[in-house]
Amino acid sequence: MQSSVFKYVWLFLFDQQYFWITASLVVLGDAILTQLITRFVPYTEIDWETYMVHIDLYLKGERDYVNITGPTGPLVYPAGHVHIHRLLHLITDAGRNVARAQQIYGGLYVLSITLVCAIYKKARVPNWTLLLLPLSKRLHSIFVLRLFNDCWSLIFVQAAILAFQSAWDDIGILLFSLALSVKMSAILYLPGLLVILFKRHGLFATIRHMLVLACTQTLLARSFLISNAKSYLQNAFDLSRVFLYKWTVNWRFVDERTFLSPAWAKGLLLGHVTVLIAFGLFRWCRGDGGVARVLQRGFRRPGLPAGLAPVDPDYVATVLVTSNLIGIIFARSLHYQFYSWYSQQLPLLTQRTRFPFIMQMALIGAIEYAWNVYPSTPFSSGLLLAANLVTLLGVWFGYPEGKMFSGR
């Protein structure tokens, strides 16, 4: 009897044939946990009221972003955010029914966990990894105790990753565009996505996908662009935005004067671009004979795939989440809700290193700890940066094109 129980535990944890059984148990358990959190942990108002005030102004006919403001600030999110929260405004009695909103976000959280399981399945991540997904205190809070709009962008990004893993790239680009229409942070995936599309389809198809992305954004924002295009673009896609020092999670060990300086922002941008170029040149095209050969094939035969190695589901997931991590490391500021951008990706990222199991768990634990220190301290910020950098270096020297590629 004991040996039989042990056998099934082993199968649930390690046998890919039992992956969805393990995933179902994890999703069900996390759904119950989320309901308990919603019921017994008090809700904290941060941005939800402001979202609803913005929608009040929108429903009154205001389309100029300059004039749409609320208790915690102006509207600084793209049009997709407005359309989603217009629906939530209707469902939740203009935002007053917070309990109903929490249930919607609870369902959103469960959907997110399910999508991650599907992504991990395609990337052939070990079953036991799923047990790590429900453990983040901060992530539950972001969804059901704070109701941040990052959750909607995350869902669309996850669905897009799954579509790209399945080679449903036309669907994937639409889902990615929806993510970008909710929050500009989705743009961090774009460098990795360009590599994937260029290798899989070639130059012409990559340009077509980017045109679809641009046209979708234009269509969603049509009424705002007609009213005041400059105001919309400056507010919804403000790449020069300066964040308040008191909310920073990642740069608390830097003094406020440096944090706010243009030179610091330019340095971070330079670091971001440099690391992305390094991964593009030396890591993401190794299976194709190097980036020079990929570019040569892509421009010589623009209507055909530029890559030689298969763009498999593991490669897609690894490149996209690595591209996202690079952007997070060099972000001018990270606020607590931004942890949702990569929390569920950490198990995959650490498994794309060659670090021993204990070190992988230590990195995930250190990052989770740093995101739960409030207010942030120089130590927590330094620990977060160090753990993120070590994880990225681990991927660089580990499996930057995924473990499937290393096995070929």
Side-chain angles (χ1 to χ4, degrees), residues 173 177 208-220:
I173 201 65
S177 187
R208 177 175 65 83
H209 281 95
M210 292 304 102
L211 288 174
V212 170
L213 182 66
C215 289
T216 307
Q217 295 301 310
T218 303
L219 182 63
L220 288 169

Side-chain angles (χ1 to χ4, degrees), residues 323-351:
S323 178
N324 185 46
L325 176 63
I326 294 168
I328 286 169
I329 288 173
F330 290 98
R332 187 166 185 180
S333 185
L334 295 175
H335 295 176
Y336 285 96
Q337 64 268 35
F338 298 176
Y339 186 37
S340 62
W341 296 1
Y342 76 129
S343 170
Q344 295 162 322
Q345 299 170 4
L346 290 171
L348 174 63
L349 283 163
T350 55
Q351 289 184 26

Side-chain angles (χ1 to χ4, degrees), residues 206-325:
T206 301
I207 292 173
R208 177 175 65 83
H209 281 95
M210 292 304 102
L211 288 174
V212 170
L213 182 66
C215 289
T216 307
Q217 295 301 310
T218 303
L219 182 63
L220 288 169
R222 182 174 175 271
S223 63
F224 302 108
L225 292 171
I226 291 173
S227 175
N228 190 334
K230 182 179 179 181
S231 169
Y232 174 76
L233 294 173
Q234 284 183 341
N235 284 275
F237 297 99
D238 184 5
L239 296 173
S240 61
R241 186 177 304 151
V242 179
F243 295 94
L244 294 175
Y245 181 70
K246 70 176 183 177
W247 295 118
T248 187
V249 178
N250 55 330
W251 299 121
R252 184 66 64 188
F253 56 87
V254 176
D255 65 86
E256 186 171 6
R257 182 177 178 182
T258 300
F259 175 83
L260 296 174
S261 71
W264 176 255
K266 291 176 182 177
L268 291 173
L269 179 60
L270 178 62
H272 187 185
V273 173
T274 301
V275 175
L276 281 172
I277 291 173
F279 267 85
L281 289 176
F282 305 114
R283 285 297 179 266
W284 287 339
C285 298
R286 291 187 302 175
D288 306 279
V291 69
R293 291 190 177 182
V294 171
L295 291 173
Q296 184 181 41
R297 284 190 295 269
F299 286 101
R300 182 177 294 176
R301 305 179 304 167
L304 297 175
L308 286 178
V311 182
D312 58 49
D314 188 14
Y315 179 90
V316 169
T318 302
V319 170
L320 288 177
V321 300
T322 304
S323 178
N324 185 46
L325 176 63

Side-chain angles (χ1 to χ4, degrees), residues 144-166:
V144 297
L145 301 180
R146 303 293 188 273
L147 310 181
F148 283 119
N149 68 338
D150 302 75
C151 306
W152 295 96
S153 182
L154 174 65
I155 288 293
F156 289 127
V157 161
Q158 290 171 335
I161 292 174
L162 188 59
F164 290 127
Q165 284 183 303
S166 305

Side-chain angles (χ1 to χ4, degrees), residues 362-373:
L363 286 169
I364 294 173
I367 292 171
E368 175 72 19
Y369 165 79
W371 282 98
N372 280 282
V373 174

